[in-house]
Amino acid sequence: RTSVSQINADPGRYRNKEVGIVGGVTDSYGLMGTGAYELDDGTGRIWVATTRGVPSKGSRVGVKGQVRTGFNLGGRAFGTILEETDRKVKGR
């Protein structure tokens, strides 16, 4: 498992690599079958892009995905995001 602070401190090290993070959903939005949610693991926050629907605010999830930089979704630009490949809801 990787921490959000590790990714945010050196995004180039993790770019295009699969990482796993567990945290709470602090914000989310969906747009035409895609969406994004912000995950807080206690060390920092990162946006997660998904094509499987977004978990509700307050949910605790474990997510795996590829770290991407310079990502655009629904006309909104994100610096560093996690592109979701798998997710498990951990409860609240």
Side-chain angles (χ1 to χ4, degrees), residues 1-38:
R1 190 161 62 179
T2 307
S3 73
V4 173
S5 65
Q6 289 172 306
I7 295 168
N8 287 337
D10 190 4
R13 177 179 176 196
Y14 297 97
R15 185 178 300 124
N16 299 323
K17 293 182 181 171
E18 187 165 270
V19 299
I21 300 169
V22 175
V25 177
T26 59
D27 196 7
S28 63
Y29 74 94
L31 177 70
M32 298 176 60
T34 63
Y37 57 98
E38 189 177 44

PDB file of all heavy atoms in Angstrom, residues 1-38:
ATOM      1  N   ARG A   1       0.845  -1.185   0.000  1.00  0.00           N
ATOM      2  CA  ARG A   1       0.000   0.000   0.000  1.00  0.00           C
ATOM      3  C   ARG A   1       0.882   1.237   0.000  1.00  0.00           C
ATOM      4  O   ARG A   1       1.878   1.307   0.688  1.00  0.00           O
ATOM      5  CB  ARG A   1      -0.915  -0.057   1.221  1.00  0.00           C
ATOM      6  CG  ARG A   1      -1.977   0.975   1.200  1.00  0.00           C
ATOM      7  CD  ARG A   1      -3.121   0.674   2.104  1.00  0.00           C
ATOM      8  NE  ARG A   1      -2.747   0.605   3.507  1.00  0.00           N
ATOM      9  CZ  ARG A   1      -3.592   0.371   4.477  1.00  0.00           C
ATOM     10  NH1 ARG A   1      -4.842   0.133   4.204  1.00  0.00           N
ATOM     11  NH2 ARG A   1      -3.196   0.363   5.710  1.00  0.00           N
ATOM     12  N   THR A   2       0.456   2.231  -0.741  1.00  0.00           N
ATOM     13  CA  THR A   2       1.193   3.478  -0.880  1.00  0.00           C
ATOM     14  C   THR A   2       0.377   4.598  -0.236  1.00  0.00           C
ATOM     15  O   THR A   2      -0.848   4.575  -0.285  1.00  0.00           O
ATOM     16  CB  THR A   2       1.406   3.798  -2.372  1.00  0.00           C
ATOM     17  OG1 THR A   2       2.007   2.670  -3.001  1.00  0.00           O
ATOM     18  CG2 THR A   2       2.287   5.003  -2.562  1.00  0.00           C
ATOM     19  N   SER A   3       1.039   5.577   0.356  1.00  0.00           N
ATOM     20  CA  SER A   3       0.303   6.700   0.946  1.00  0.00           C
ATOM     21  C   SER A   3       0.158   7.823  -0.083  1.00  0.00           C
ATOM     22  O   SER A   3       0.985   7.974  -0.985  1.00  0.00           O
ATOM     23  CB  SER A   3       1.005   7.215   2.199  1.00  0.00           C
ATOM     24  OG  SER A   3       2.172   7.929   1.858  1.00  0.00           O
ATOM     25  N   VAL A   4      -0.891   8.604   0.091  1.00  0.00           N
ATOM     26  CA  VAL A   4      -1.120   9.749  -0.790  1.00  0.00           C
ATOM     27  C   VAL A   4       0.029  10.744  -0.668  1.00  0.00           C
ATOM     28  O   VAL A   4       0.468  11.311  -1.669  1.00  0.00           O
ATOM     29  CB  VAL A   4      -2.472  10.421  -0.470  1.00  0.00           C
ATOM     30  CG1 VAL A   4      -2.642  11.706  -1.258  1.00  0.00           C
ATOM     31  CG2 VAL A   4      -3.621   9.468  -0.765  1.00  0.00           C
ATOM     32  N   SER A   5       0.564  10.921   0.535  1.00  0.00           N
ATOM     33  CA  SER A   5       1.674  11.870   0.695  1.00  0.00           C
ATOM     34  C   SER A   5       2.901  11.424  -0.100  1.00  0.00           C
ATOM     35  O   SER A   5       3.610  12.263  -0.656  1.00  0.00           O
ATOM     36  CB  SER A   5       2.030  12.063   2.170  1.00  0.00           C
ATOM     37  OG  SER A   5       2.530  10.879   2.741  1.00  0.00           O
ATOM     38  N   GLN A   6       3.138  10.117  -0.198  1.00  0.00           N
ATOM     39  CA  GLN A   6       4.266   9.622  -1.003  1.00  0.00           C
ATOM     40  C   GLN A   6       4.054   9.956  -2.478  1.00  0.00           C
ATOM     41  O   GLN A   6       4.985  10.386  -3.155  1.00  0.00           O
ATOM     42  CB  GLN A   6       4.415   8.107  -0.843  1.00  0.00           C
ATOM     43  CG  GLN A   6       4.927   7.659   0.505  1.00  0.00           C
ATOM     44  CD  GLN A   6       4.862   6.149   0.648  1.00  0.00           C
ATOM     45  OE1 GLN A   6       3.815   5.535   0.452  1.00  0.00           O
ATOM     46  NE2 GLN A   6       5.990   5.538   0.975  1.00  0.00           N
ATOM     47  N   ILE A   7       2.831   9.752  -2.973  1.00  0.00           N
ATOM     48  CA  ILE A   7       2.522  10.037  -4.378  1.00  0.00           C
ATOM     49  C   ILE A   7       2.644  11.533  -4.654  1.00  0.00           C
ATOM     50  O   ILE A   7       3.274  11.944  -5.629  1.00  0.00           O
ATOM     51  CB  ILE A   7       1.113   9.540  -4.741  1.00  0.00           C
ATOM     52  CG1 ILE A   7       1.055   8.013  -4.636  1.00  0.00           C
ATOM     53  CG2 ILE A   7       0.717  10.003  -6.146  1.00  0.00           C
ATOM     54  CD1 ILE A   7      -0.342   7.443  -4.682  1.00  0.00           C
ATOM     55  N   ASN A   8       2.054  12.364  -3.789  1.00  0.00           N
ATOM     56  CA  ASN A   8       2.081  13.812  -4.005  1.00  0.00           C
ATOM     57  C   ASN A   8       3.480  14.400  -3.870  1.00  0.00           C
ATOM     58  O   ASN A   8       3.806  15.391  -4.526  1.00  0.00           O
ATOM     59  CB  ASN A   8       1.128  14.509  -3.036  1.00  0.00           C
ATOM     60  CG  ASN A   8      -0.325  14.293  -3.405  1.00  0.00           C
ATOM     61  OD1 ASN A   8      -0.655  14.011  -4.557  1.00  0.00           O
ATOM     62  ND2 ASN A   8      -1.198  14.413  -2.423  1.00  0.00           N
ATOM     63  N   ALA A   9       4.331  13.785  -3.051  1.00  0.00           N
ATOM     64  CA  ALA A   9       5.699  14.285  -2.873  1.00  0.00           C
ATOM     65  C   ALA A   9       6.572  14.006  -4.097  1.00  0.00           C
ATOM     66  O   ALA A   9       7.486  14.777  -4.394  1.00  0.00           O
ATOM     67  CB  ALA A   9       6.333  13.659  -1.634  1.00  0.00           C
ATOM     68  N   ASP A  10       6.298  12.912  -4.808  1.00  0.00           N
ATOM     69  CA  ASP A  10       7.125  12.538  -5.963  1.00  0.00           C
ATOM     70  C   ASP A  10       6.271  11.820  -7.011  1.00  0.00           C
ATOM     71  O   ASP A  10       6.416  10.623  -7.233  1.00  0.00           O
ATOM     72  CB  ASP A  10       8.271  11.632  -5.502  1.00  0.00           C
ATOM     73  CG  ASP A  10       9.309  11.384  -6.585  1.00  0.00           C
ATOM     74  OD1 ASP A  10       9.192  11.972  -7.683  1.00  0.00           O
ATOM     75  OD2 ASP A  10      10.219  10.577  -6.338  1.00  0.00           O
ATOM     76  N   PRO A  11       5.333  12.544  -7.664  1.00  0.00           N
ATOM     77  CA  PRO A  11       4.429  11.881  -8.610  1.00  0.00           C
ATOM     78  C   PRO A  11       5.138  11.193  -9.769  1.00  0.00           C
ATOM     79  O   PRO A  11       4.668  10.167 -10.259  1.00  0.00           O
ATOM     80  CB  PRO A  11       3.519  13.007  -9.102  1.00  0.00           C
ATOM     81  CG  PRO A  11       4.099  14.279  -8.628  1.00  0.00           C
ATOM     82  CD  PRO A  11       5.072  13.962  -7.536  1.00  0.00           C
ATOM     83  N   GLY A  12       6.280  11.720 -10.183  1.00  0.00           N
ATOM     84  CA  GLY A  12       7.022  11.105 -11.286  1.00  0.00           C
ATOM     85  C   GLY A  12       7.470   9.687 -10.973  1.00  0.00           C
ATOM     86  O   GLY A  12       7.543   8.841 -11.860  1.00  0.00           O
ATOM     87  N   ARG A  13       7.762   9.415  -9.720  1.00  0.00           N
ATOM     88  CA  ARG A  13       8.200   8.077  -9.303  1.00  0.00           C
ATOM     89  C   ARG A  13       7.088   7.040  -9.486  1.00  0.00           C
ATOM     90  O   ARG A  13       7.349   5.870  -9.741  1.00  0.00           O
ATOM     91  CB  ARG A  13       8.640   8.132  -7.846  1.00  0.00           C
ATOM     92  CG  ARG A  13       9.033   6.801  -7.284  1.00  0.00           C
ATOM     93  CD  ARG A  13       9.471   6.919  -5.849  1.00  0.00           C
ATOM     94  NE  ARG A  13       9.752   5.601  -5.322  1.00  0.00           N
ATOM     95  CZ  ARG A  13       9.866   5.323  -4.048  1.00  0.00           C
ATOM     96  NH1 ARG A  13       9.766   6.275  -3.146  1.00  0.00           N
ATOM     97  NH2 ARG A  13      10.103   4.107  -3.643  1.00  0.00           N
ATOM     98  N   TYR A  14       5.833   7.484  -9.339  1.00  0.00           N
ATOM     99  CA  TYR A  14       4.691   6.563  -9.394  1.00  0.00           C
ATOM    100  C   TYR A  14       3.924   6.625 -10.708  1.00  0.00           C
ATOM    101  O   TYR A  14       3.028   5.812 -10.935  1.00  0.00           O
ATOM    102  CB  TYR A  14       3.735   6.875  -8.236  1.00  0.00           C
ATOM    103  CG  TYR A  14       4.375   6.662  -6.889  1.00  0.00           C
ATOM    104  CD1 TYR A  14       4.928   7.725  -6.181  1.00  0.00           C
ATOM    105  CD2 TYR A  14       4.462   5.391  -6.335  1.00  0.00           C
ATOM    106  CE1 TYR A  14       5.536   7.525  -4.946  1.00  0.00           C
ATOM    107  CE2 TYR A  14       5.068   5.188  -5.104  1.00  0.00           C
ATOM    108  CZ  TYR A  14       5.597   6.259  -4.422  1.00  0.00           C
ATOM    109  OH  TYR A  14       6.198   6.052  -3.215  1.00  0.00           O
ATOM    110  N   ARG A  15       4.262   7.574 -11.581  1.00  0.00           N
ATOM    111  CA  ARG A  15       3.536   7.757 -12.838  1.00  0.00           C
ATOM    112  C   ARG A  15       3.466   6.444 -13.625  1.00  0.00           C
ATOM    113  O   ARG A  15       4.465   5.760 -13.802  1.00  0.00           O
ATOM    114  CB  ARG A  15       4.193   8.835 -13.692  1.00  0.00           C
ATOM    115  CG  ARG A  15       3.403   9.154 -14.962  1.00  0.00           C
ATOM    116  CD  ARG A  15       4.032  10.256 -15.795  1.00  0.00           C
ATOM    117  NE  ARG A  15       4.135  11.489 -15.037  1.00  0.00           N
ATOM    118  CZ  ARG A  15       5.285  12.141 -14.849  1.00  0.00           C
ATOM    119  NH1 ARG A  15       6.405  11.691 -15.357  1.00  0.00           N
ATOM    120  NH2 ARG A  15       5.287  13.259 -14.158  1.00  0.00           N
ATOM    121  N   ASN A  16       2.243   6.107 -14.065  1.00  0.00           N
ATOM    122  CA  ASN A  16       1.951   4.913 -14.868  1.00  0.00           C
ATOM    123  C   ASN A  16       2.222   3.605 -14.133  1.00  0.00           C
ATOM    124  O   ASN A  16       2.305   2.552 -14.756  1.00  0.00           O
ATOM    125  CB  ASN A  16       2.697   4.950 -16.202  1.00  0.00           C
ATOM    126  CG  ASN A  16       2.305   6.146 -17.039  1.00  0.00           C
ATOM    127  OD1 ASN A  16       1.152   6.561 -17.054  1.00  0.00           O
ATOM    128  ND2 ASN A  16       3.267   6.736 -17.710  1.00  0.00           N
ATOM    129  N   LYS A  17       2.361   3.653 -12.816  1.00  0.00           N
ATOM    130  CA  LYS A  17       2.530   2.442 -12.012  1.00  0.00           C
ATOM    131  C   LYS A  17       1.262   2.208 -11.211  1.00  0.00           C
ATOM    132  O   LYS A  17       0.584   3.150 -10.817  1.00  0.00           O
ATOM    133  CB  LYS A  17       3.719   2.585 -11.058  1.00  0.00           C
ATOM    134  CG  LYS A  17       5.043   2.665 -11.779  1.00  0.00           C
ATOM    135  CD  LYS A  17       6.179   2.754 -10.809  1.00  0.00           C
ATOM    136  CE  LYS A  17       7.490   2.860 -11.569  1.00  0.00           C
ATOM    137  NZ  LYS A  17       8.607   3.158 -10.702  1.00  0.00           N
ATOM    138  N   GLU A  18       0.943   0.934 -10.958  1.00  0.00           N
ATOM    139  CA  GLU A  18      -0.241   0.623 -10.156  1.00  0.00           C
ATOM    140  C   GLU A  18       0.096   0.703  -8.674  1.00  0.00           C
ATOM    141  O   GLU A  18       1.104   0.174  -8.232  1.00  0.00           O
ATOM    142  CB  GLU A  18      -0.785  -0.764 -10.492  1.00  0.00           C
ATOM    143  CG  GLU A  18      -2.105  -1.020  -9.776  1.00  0.00           C
ATOM    144  CD  GLU A  18      -2.852  -2.193 -10.341  1.00  0.00           C
ATOM    145  OE1 GLU A  18      -3.655  -1.982 -11.270  1.00  0.00           O
ATOM    146  OE2 GLU A  18      -2.632  -3.303  -9.846  1.00  0.00           O
ATOM    147  N   VAL A  19      -0.766   1.395  -7.931  1.00  0.00           N
ATOM    148  CA  VAL A  19      -0.603   1.536  -6.487  1.00  0.00           C
ATOM    149  C   VAL A  19      -1.945   1.237  -5.816  1.00  0.00           C
ATOM    150  O   VAL A  19      -2.991   1.256  -6.460  1.00  0.00           O
ATOM    151  CB  VAL A  19      -0.119   2.947  -6.079  1.00  0.00           C
ATOM    152  CG1 VAL A  19       1.242   3.261  -6.690  1.00  0.00           C
ATOM    153  CG2 VAL A  19      -1.130   4.012  -6.467  1.00  0.00           C
ATOM    154  N   GLY A  20      -1.901   0.975  -4.520  1.00  0.00           N
ATOM    155  CA  GLY A  20      -3.109   0.751  -3.741  1.00  0.00           C
ATOM    156  C   GLY A  20      -3.188   1.749  -2.600  1.00  0.00           C
ATOM    157  O   GLY A  20      -2.179   2.042  -1.958  1.00  0.00           O
ATOM    158  N   ILE A  21      -4.379   2.290  -2.368  1.00  0.00           N
ATOM    159  CA  ILE A  21      -4.614   3.280  -1.315  1.00  0.00           C
ATOM    160  C   ILE A  21      -5.922   2.923  -0.611  1.00  0.00           C
ATOM    161  O   ILE A  21      -6.882   2.499  -1.255  1.00  0.00           O
ATOM    162  CB  ILE A  21      -4.754   4.698  -1.905  1.00  0.00           C
ATOM    163  CG1 ILE A  21      -3.496   5.118  -2.660  1.00  0.00           C
ATOM    164  CG2 ILE A  21      -5.056   5.716  -0.812  1.00  0.00           C
ATOM    165  CD1 ILE A  21      -3.666   6.382  -3.472  1.00  0.00           C
ATOM    166  N   VAL A  22      -5.973   3.117   0.704  1.00  0.00           N
ATOM    167  CA  VAL A  22      -7.206   2.962   1.466  1.00  0.00           C
ATOM    168  C   VAL A  22      -7.496   4.285   2.148  1.00  0.00           C
ATOM    169  O   VAL A  22      -6.606   4.891   2.746  1.00  0.00           O
ATOM    170  CB  VAL A  22      -7.086   1.845   2.524  1.00  0.00           C
ATOM    171  CG1 VAL A  22      -8.332   1.790   3.381  1.00  0.00           C
ATOM    172  CG2 VAL A  22      -6.824   0.502   1.868  1.00  0.00           C
ATOM    173  N   GLY A  23      -8.739   4.758   2.032  1.00  0.00           N
ATOM    174  CA  GLY A  23      -9.087   6.015   2.671  1.00  0.00           C
ATOM    175  C   GLY A  23     -10.568   6.304   2.610  1.00  0.00           C
ATOM    176  O   GLY A  23     -11.365   5.482   2.156  1.00  0.00           O
ATOM    177  N   GLY A  24     -10.923   7.491   3.047  1.00  0.00           N
ATOM    178  CA  GLY A  24     -12.305   7.931   3.064  1.00  0.00           C
ATOM    179  C   GLY A  24     -12.602   8.871   1.916  1.00  0.00           C
ATOM    180  O   GLY A  24     -11.763   9.688   1.541  1.00  0.00           O
ATOM    181  N   VAL A  25     -13.813   8.761   1.378  1.00  0.00           N
ATOM    182  CA  VAL A  25     -14.243   9.618   0.277  1.00  0.00           C
ATOM    183  C   VAL A  25     -14.706  10.957   0.855  1.00  0.00           C
ATOM    184  O   VAL A  25     -15.600  10.996   1.689  1.00  0.00           O
ATOM    185  CB  VAL A  25     -15.385   8.959  -0.525  1.00  0.00           C
ATOM    186  CG1 VAL A  25     -15.884   9.884  -1.631  1.00  0.00           C
ATOM    187  CG2 VAL A  25     -14.917   7.625  -1.103  1.00  0.00           C
ATOM    188  N   THR A  26     -14.066  12.056   0.424  1.00  0.00           N
ATOM    189  CA  THR A  26     -14.400  13.385   0.939  1.00  0.00           C
ATOM    190  C   THR A  26     -15.238  14.202  -0.039  1.00  0.00           C
ATOM    191  O   THR A  26     -15.887  15.153   0.367  1.00  0.00           O
ATOM    192  CB  THR A  26     -13.125  14.179   1.279  1.00  0.00           C
ATOM    193  OG1 THR A  26     -12.335  14.296   0.093  1.00  0.00           O
ATOM    194  CG2 THR A  26     -12.320  13.477   2.367  1.00  0.00           C
ATOM    195  N   ASP A  27     -15.222  13.835  -1.317  1.00  0.00           N
ATOM    196  CA  ASP A  27     -15.977  14.560  -2.335  1.00  0.00           C
ATOM    197  C   ASP A  27     -16.114  13.645  -3.537  1.00  0.00           C
ATOM    198  O   ASP A  27     -15.264  12.773  -3.759  1.00  0.00           O
ATOM    199  CB  ASP A  27     -15.238  15.850  -2.718  1.00  0.00           C
ATOM    200  CG  ASP A  27     -16.111  16.848  -3.466  1.00  0.00           C
ATOM    201  OD1 ASP A  27     -17.334  16.616  -3.588  1.00  0.00           O
ATOM    202  OD2 ASP A  27     -15.571  17.874  -3.920  1.00  0.00           O
ATOM    203  N   SER A  28     -17.176  13.824  -4.330  1.00  0.00           N
ATOM    204  CA  SER A  28     -17.331  13.007  -5.531  1.00  0.00           C
ATOM    205  C   SER A  28     -18.295  13.682  -6.497  1.00  0.00           C
ATOM    206  O   SER A  28     -19.128  14.487  -6.092  1.00  0.00           O
ATOM    207  CB  SER A  28     -17.847  11.611  -5.174  1.00  0.00           C
ATOM    208  OG  SER A  28     -19.131  11.666  -4.604  1.00  0.00           O
ATOM    209  N   TYR A  29     -18.136  13.357  -7.778  1.00  0.00           N
ATOM    210  CA  TYR A  29     -19.095  13.790  -8.785  1.00  0.00           C
ATOM    211  C   TYR A  29     -19.042  12.848  -9.969  1.00  0.00           C
ATOM    212  O   TYR A  29     -18.018  12.226 -10.235  1.00  0.00           O
ATOM    213  CB  TYR A  29     -18.883  15.250  -9.210  1.00  0.00           C
ATOM    214  CG  TYR A  29     -17.694  15.504 -10.098  1.00  0.00           C
ATOM    215  CD1 TYR A  29     -17.840  15.529 -11.481  1.00  0.00           C
ATOM    216  CD2 TYR A  29     -16.427  15.721  -9.576  1.00  0.00           C
ATOM    217  CE1 TYR A  29     -16.767  15.766 -12.311  1.00  0.00           C
ATOM    218  CE2 TYR A  29     -15.339  15.965 -10.400  1.00  0.00           C
ATOM    219  CZ  TYR A  29     -15.521  15.990 -11.762  1.00  0.00           C
ATOM    220  OH  TYR A  29     -14.452  16.218 -12.578  1.00  0.00           O
ATOM    221  N   GLY A  30     -20.174  12.705 -10.654  1.00  0.00           N
ATOM    222  CA  GLY A  30     -20.269  11.847 -11.831  1.00  0.00           C
ATOM    223  C   GLY A  30     -20.702  12.662 -13.033  1.00  0.00           C
ATOM    224  O   GLY A  30     -21.362  13.690 -12.902  1.00  0.00           O
ATOM    225  N   LEU A  31     -20.324  12.169 -14.212  1.00  0.00           N
ATOM    226  CA  LEU A  31     -20.656  12.852 -15.454  1.00  0.00           C
ATOM    227  C   LEU A  31     -20.728  11.835 -16.582  1.00  0.00           C
ATOM    228  O   LEU A  31     -19.690  11.271 -16.962  1.00  0.00           O
ATOM    229  CB  LEU A  31     -19.601  13.932 -15.761  1.00  0.00           C
ATOM    230  CG  LEU A  31     -19.767  14.697 -17.059  1.00  0.00           C
ATOM    231  CD1 LEU A  31     -20.989  15.619 -16.967  1.00  0.00           C
ATOM    232  CD2 LEU A  31     -18.525  15.516 -17.348  1.00  0.00           C
ATOM    233  N   MET A  32     -21.918  11.556 -17.073  1.00  0.00           N
ATOM    234  CA  MET A  32     -22.129  10.693 -18.235  1.00  0.00           C
ATOM    235  C   MET A  32     -21.343   9.380 -18.177  1.00  0.00           C
ATOM    236  O   MET A  32     -20.556   9.064 -19.069  1.00  0.00           O
ATOM    237  CB  MET A  32     -21.794  11.470 -19.503  1.00  0.00           C
ATOM    238  CG  MET A  32     -22.700  12.680 -19.703  1.00  0.00           C
ATOM    239  SD  MET A  32     -22.288  13.707 -21.115  1.00  0.00           S
ATOM    240  CE  MET A  32     -22.460  12.561 -22.447  1.00  0.00           C
ATOM    241  N   GLY A  33     -21.536   8.605 -17.132  1.00  0.00           N
ATOM    242  CA  GLY A  33     -20.908   7.291 -17.033  1.00  0.00           C
ATOM    243  C   GLY A  33     -19.495   7.285 -16.488  1.00  0.00           C
ATOM    244  O   GLY A  33     -18.913   6.235 -16.284  1.00  0.00           O
ATOM    245  N   THR A  34     -18.920   8.449 -16.290  1.00  0.00           N
ATOM    246  CA  THR A  34     -17.596   8.541 -15.686  1.00  0.00           C
ATOM    247  C   THR A  34     -17.710   9.408 -14.441  1.00  0.00           C
ATOM    248  O   THR A  34     -18.742  10.021 -14.196  1.00  0.00           O
ATOM    249  CB  THR A  34     -16.554   9.161 -16.643  1.00  0.00           C
ATOM    250  OG1 THR A  34     -16.945  10.493 -16.938  1.00  0.00           O
ATOM    251  CG2 THR A  34     -16.410   8.350 -17.914  1.00  0.00           C
ATOM    252  N   GLY A  35     -16.666   9.463 -13.671  1.00  0.00           N
ATOM    253  CA  GLY A  35     -16.706  10.305 -12.493  1.00  0.00           C
ATOM    254  C   GLY A  35     -15.366  10.366 -11.813  1.00  0.00           C
ATOM    255  O   GLY A  35     -14.378   9.772 -12.261  1.00  0.00           O
ATOM    256  N   ALA A  36     -15.353  11.088 -10.710  1.00  0.00           N
ATOM    257  CA  ALA A  36     -14.143  11.231  -9.912  1.00  0.00           C
ATOM    258  C   ALA A  36     -14.553  11.386  -8.458  1.00  0.00           C
ATOM    259  O   ALA A  36     -15.631  11.902  -8.157  1.00  0.00           O
ATOM    260  CB  ALA A  36     -13.333  12.434 -10.375  1.00  0.00           C
ATOM    261  N   TYR A  37     -13.697  10.897  -7.591  1.00  0.00           N
ATOM    262  CA  TYR A  37     -13.921  11.098  -6.162  1.00  0.00           C
ATOM    263  C   TYR A  37     -12.589  11.383  -5.493  1.00  0.00           C
ATOM    264  O   TYR A  37     -11.538  10.922  -5.943  1.00  0.00           O
ATOM    265  CB  TYR A  37     -14.639   9.906  -5.524  1.00  0.00           C
ATOM    266  CG  TYR A  37     -13.969   8.562  -5.678  1.00  0.00           C
ATOM    267  CD1 TYR A  37     -13.173   8.039  -4.663  1.00  0.00           C
ATOM    268  CD2 TYR A  37     -14.164   7.793  -6.812  1.00  0.00           C
ATOM    269  CE1 TYR A  37     -12.572   6.786  -4.790  1.00  0.00           C
ATOM    270  CE2 TYR A  37     -13.579   6.546  -6.948  1.00  0.00           C
ATOM    271  CZ  TYR A  37     -12.788   6.045  -5.931  1.00  0.00           C
ATOM    272  OH  TYR A  37     -12.205   4.807  -6.063  1.00  0.00           O
ATOM    273  N   GLU A  38     -12.658  12.192  -4.435  1.00  0.00           N
ATOM    274  CA  GLU A  38     -11.453  12.566  -3.709  1.00  0.00           C
ATOM    275  C   GLU A  38     -11.298  11.631  -2.511  1.00  0.00           C
ATOM    276  O   GLU A  38     -12.235  11.440  -1.739  1.00  0.00           O
ATOM    277  CB  GLU A  38     -11.548  14.014  -3.241  1.00  0.00           C
ATOM    278  CG  GLU A  38     -10.247  14.533  -2.669  1.00  0.00           C
ATOM    279  CD  GLU A  38     -10.351  16.002  -2.279  1.00  0.00           C
ATOM    280  OE1 GLU A  38     -11.362  16.385  -1.679  1.00  0.00           O
ATOM    281  OE2 GLU A  38      -9.401  16.739  -2.575  1.00  0.00           O
TER     282      GLU A  38
END
